[in-house]
Amino acid sequence: MMRQPTLFLTVGLPCTGKTTAARRIEIEQDALRLTKDEWVKALYGQENPPSAQAVIEGRLIQIGLRALELGINVVIDFGLWSRDERSALRQAAADLGATVEMRYFELPPAEQRRRLDQRQAEAPHTTWPMSDEELADWAAKFDVPTAGELDGGEPIDDPPARFATWDEWRRHRWPSSHRRPEPREQRCGQ
C-alpha cells in the first residue's frame, strides 16, 4: 500500500533559512528536495535572469507533483512569496491526495543582511549579490502566511476571478508546470 505523501513548502525571503531547513526535511522525511537556486546556478552560473525564474519553478513543480503521484515526499524550496502561489500548490497537493506542511522563515532585516553578507563571503557560488533596496522591495511584496495557512486549518482560497481553477492559475503563473500528454504516435511501444 502506498503511503500518503507530503508536500513541504518553504516560505520566506532570501537568507532566512529555507534551504538549510529543506536539506533537513529532505533527510528526515525521505523527501525529494527541489531548490530553485541550485538549478539556476547550474544552468546560468553567475547570471540570474528573471526570465528563467518562472520556467525553472514550473519545471520543479511539475517534477514535484509527479513525485507526489508516485507517493514520494517533496520539499519545494523557493520562497513562495505570494498567497496565490501557496494556495495553488496546496490545491495541487490536495488533488493528488497529498498533505501539505508549510514552513515559514522570518528574520529581522539586519540579520537577513548579515547572513547574506556571510554567504557572499564564504560561499559566493551559492548566491547572487542583493542590495538593501532589493531586500526591502521584496519584503514589501511578500504575503506573510496566516496562522491558518501554516497549520492547514484555513480552507484554500478560491482562485483569482479570471481563473476557473487553481490548476488553470498554476498553468498561467508557471507555464512549464503542466505536463502535456505525448501525441499518441510518439508514445513508446505503440
Side-chain angles (χ1 to χ4, degrees), residues 7 9 12 16 19 21 45 55 57 64 72 78 95 103-104 110 122 132 138 140 147 154 159 177 185 188:
L7 175 63
L9 302 176
T16 55
T19 299
V55 172
E57 288 177 6
I72 300 166
F78 47 79
D95 291 346
R103 311 277 173 92
Y104 173 49
E122 295 174 1
D132 290 339
W138 297 334
E154 192 172 291
S177 72
E185 62 276 358
C188 293

Side-chain angles (χ1 to χ4, degrees), residues 122-186:
E122 295 174 1
H125 61 283
T126 66
T127 191
W128 297 271
M130 295 174 224
S131 70
D132 290 339
E133 293 76 21
E134 287 174 311
L135 294 174
D137 183 50
W138 297 334
K141 294 176 182 174
F142 184 79
D143 294 331
V144 174
T146 64
E149 259 189 297
L150 292 170
D151 70 15
E154 192 172 291
I156 299 170
D157 298 332
D158 290 333
R162 63 182 234 216
F163 299 97
T165 66
W166 276 116
D167 187 54
E168 184 182 323
W169 184 92
R170 184 172 46 84
R171 286 193 313 266
H172 173 78
R173 167 66 179 87
W174 297 295
S176 60
S177 72
H178 185 68
R179 276 195 329 208
R180 290 165 184 83
E182 296 176 17
R184 189 163 177 81
E185 62 276 358
Q186 291 182 357

Side-chain angles (χ1 to χ4, degrees), residues 10 16 29 58 100 107 112 121 137 148 168 182 189:
T10 62
T16 55
Q29 303 295 325
V100 175
L107 289 173
Q112 184 185 15
D137 183 50
E168 184 182 323
E182 296 176 17

Side-chain angles (χ1 to χ4, degrees), residues 4-175:
Q4 182 181 32
T6 300
L7 175 63
F8 297 90
L9 302 176
T10 62
V11 178
L13 291 166
C15 297
T16 55
K18 296 180 309 296
T19 299
T20 300
R23 287 181 179 130
R24 190 170 41 254
I25 293 166
E26 174 185 32
I27 293 165
E28 293 172 356
Q29 303 295 325
D30 294 323
L32 172 64
R33 179 175 56 88
L34 300 169
T35 299
K36 177 183 72 175
D37 288 353
E38 291 175 358
W39 285 79
V40 173
K41 282 290 188 180
L43 294 169
Y44 296 97
Q46 292 304 311
E47 300 296 316
N48 189 10
S51 62
Q53 302 304 310
V55 172
I56 291 173
E57 288 177 6
R59 281 297 169 174
L60 295 178
I61 289 166
Q62 179 188 32
I63 292 165
L65 295 178
R66 179 63 181 135
L68 290 173
E69 285 179 325
L70 296 170
I72 300 166
N73 292 332
V74 174
V75 57
I76 300 277
D77 175 27
F78 47 79
L80 303 168
W81 296 357
S82 82
R83 183 177 173 104
D84 284 348
E85 290 173 328
R86 298 186 300 264
S87 293
L89 293 177
R90 289 174 64 203
Q91 185 63 61
D95 291 346
L96 295 171
T99 60
V100 175
E101 287 189 29
M102 194 177 304
R103 311 277 173 92
Y104 173 49
F105 302 89
E106 178 182 29
L107 289 173
E111 177 61 13
Q112 184 185 15
R113 176 86 257 164
R114 186 195 70 72
R115 286 183 177 198
L116 178 58
D117 291 344
Q118 181 179 1
R119 186 185 301 171
Q120 272 301 149
E122 295 174 1
H125 61 283
T126 66
T127 191
W128 297 271
M130 295 174 224
S131 70
D132 290 339
E133 293 76 21
E134 287 174 311
L135 294 174
D137 183 50
W138 297 334
K141 294 176 182 174
F142 184 79
D143 294 331
V144 174
T146 64
E149 259 189 297
L150 292 170
D151 70 15
E154 192 172 291
I156 299 170
D157 298 332
D158 290 333
R162 63 182 234 216
F163 299 97
T165 66
W166 276 116
D167 187 54
E168 184 182 323
W169 184 92
R170 184 172 46 84
R171 286 193 313 266
H172 173 78
R173 167 66 179 87
W174 297 295

